[in-house]
Amino acid sequence: MMGNEIPIRIRTQSPNVPVFQYSSLWLTLKEKEKNKIHFRRPSWEEYFMDITHLVAKRSTCLRRQVGAVLVKDKKILATGYNGAPSRLEHCLEVGCLRKRQSIPSGERHELCRGLHGEQNAIIQAAYHGVEIRGATLYCTNHPCIICSKMIINAGIERVVYEDGYADALAKEMLKESGILIEKFSRRKKEFNISGYKFQLKGQRIKKSLKRST
């Protein structure tokens, strides 16, 4: 243990309310101080972006797990992750075609058994008759050129992504289309105990030297 970092473990008193148990720090707090612990509520951007990562866990791609969420008026319209079409064997089962042919990331998108997460989100909306014109697309990664052309023609007005993707033409066409493109940046997770600010970093808590105001 170094400096003011304190190892932690997590316990749950309610399935919907996570409570952190801070080892020696928790034991030294008075009951009334424990009740004053306040975690920062996630913004809508964080909320929807966190959901994209949950969606991405359903991906069957061997190279990159991507999740996408279509949102309008703070309501989720459709979700999608990358993988093979319905009723076809997954790449997890038959292997990666692109890897066998040594195709670099961001090139020859047509040589792939799978659909991208953004494509699947748009297709799901169309399949179920859900209008997505004017929606925002949240995605774990910047869309490729094929996804970008679909996004433009689907009437999506805004794209929020977290990680980049090596496709210069996609960026160029999205910019030319006038669609608002935003790169999502995560804020540090913070909470307060007895007026002091703490930051959660992995499995460690770092205490601020200053009391919060």
Side-chain angles (χ1 to χ4, degrees), residues 80-92:
Y81 52 87
N82 54 333
S86 299
R87 300 184 298 281
L88 271 65
E89 291 184 298
H90 297 293
C91 299
L92 288 171

Side-chain angles (χ1 to χ4, degrees), residues 6 8 19 59 63 80 90 123 126 149 161 170 184-185 194 207:
I6 304 167
I8 66 170
V19 178
S59 169
R63 280 192 168 187
H90 297 293
I123 291 169
K149 289 185 284 187
Y161 71 97
F184 175 77
S185 297
S194 299
K207 180 181 178 183

Side-chain angles (χ1 to χ4, degrees), residues 59-91:
S59 169
T60 56
C61 179
L62 296 172
R63 280 192 168 187
R64 189 196 307 263
Q65 286 70 51
V66 175
V69 178
L70 283 166
V71 176
K72 189 174 182 179
D73 298 328
K74 299 179 182 177
K75 303 295 187 295
I76 294 175
L77 304 178
T79 66
Y81 52 87
N82 54 333
S86 299
R87 300 184 298 281
L88 271 65
E89 291 184 298
H90 297 293
C91 299

Side-chain angles (χ1 to χ4, degrees), residues 133-194:
R133 181 172 51 188
T136 293
L137 174 73
Y138 291 87
C139 193
T140 53
N141 295 83
H142 190 286
C144 73
I145 181 59
I146 295 177
C147 292
S148 296
K149 289 185 284 187
M150 291 180 66
I151 288 167
I152 294 168
N153 274 10
I156 293 169
E157 294 184 352
R158 179 169 170 255
V159 174
V160 182
Y161 71 97
E162 188 160 8
D163 295 321
Y165 188 69
D167 196 326
L169 183 57
K171 295 178 181 178
E172 181 182 329
M173 291 190 72
L174 285 171
K175 182 179 179 180
E176 183 180 347
S177 73
I179 292 175
L180 183 61
I181 308 296
E182 299 178 16
K183 189 176 189 309
F184 175 77
S185 297
R186 290 190 177 274
R187 293 185 293 176
K188 296 176 181 178
K189 294 181 180 179
E190 295 182 351
F191 53 94
N192 297 314
I193 302 177
S194 299

